[in-house]
Every structure is written in C-alpha cells, then in structure tokens.
C-alpha cells in the first residue's frame, strides 16, 4: 500500500471524538459491543446493534 493510499484511508475513518463503546443486547439475547455517539440512550444502542446484525441501513 502506498503512502497516498494510507492518507486516503485515514480521511475516510469516522471521527471518534464524542463516541463511546457500549454493550448492546441483541434480540436473540447475545451481547455485542458497538461504538455509538456519547449519551445515546440504551434502547437506541440495542436497536442500532440489531440493525447492524441484520445488515440494514442506520438511517431513520
């Protein structure tokens, strides 16, 4: 990988400021850890994890 590709890759990485790692419970009862915006209510964290598991869009 060239240096230019590394720079482009870094630019695509989402900013991490204002985020936190949170534990989520999926509908089947399994646990997951995902990164969400700080202060996100737990029910939204669980729903986001479920959408990610199903592979659906995060857009509301």
């Amino acid at each position: 990988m060239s240096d230019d590709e590394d720079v482009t890759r870094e630019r695509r990485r989402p900013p991490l400021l204002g985020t936190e790692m949170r534990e989520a419970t999926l509908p089947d009862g399994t646990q997951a850890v995902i990164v969400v915006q700080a202060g996100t209510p737990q029910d939204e964290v669980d729903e986001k994890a479920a959408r990610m598991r199903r592979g659906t869009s995060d857009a509301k």
Side-chain angles (χ1 to χ4, degrees):
M1 186 177 302
S2 72
D3 288 338
D4 290 336
E5 290 176 27
D6 286 339
V7 170
T8 302
R9 191 180 198 148
E10 286 295 318
R11 287 185 191 144
R12 282 185 276 185
R13 188 174 295 163
L16 295 178
L17 294 176
T19 61
E20 60 187 1
M21 294 179 70
R22 296 278 294 277
E23 187 173 294
T25 303
L26 299 168
D28 65 0
T30 59
Q31 299 288 307
V33 175
I34 64 171
V35 176
V36 296
Q37 290 216 313
T40 301
Q42 188 62 43
D43 60 336
E44 289 181 32
V45 172
D46 294 340
E47 178 58 31
K48 181 175 181 149
R51 284 194 308 264
M52 291 172 61
R53 182 75 171 264
R54 289 190 307 261
T56 58
S57 174
D58 191 36
K60 289 186 178 183

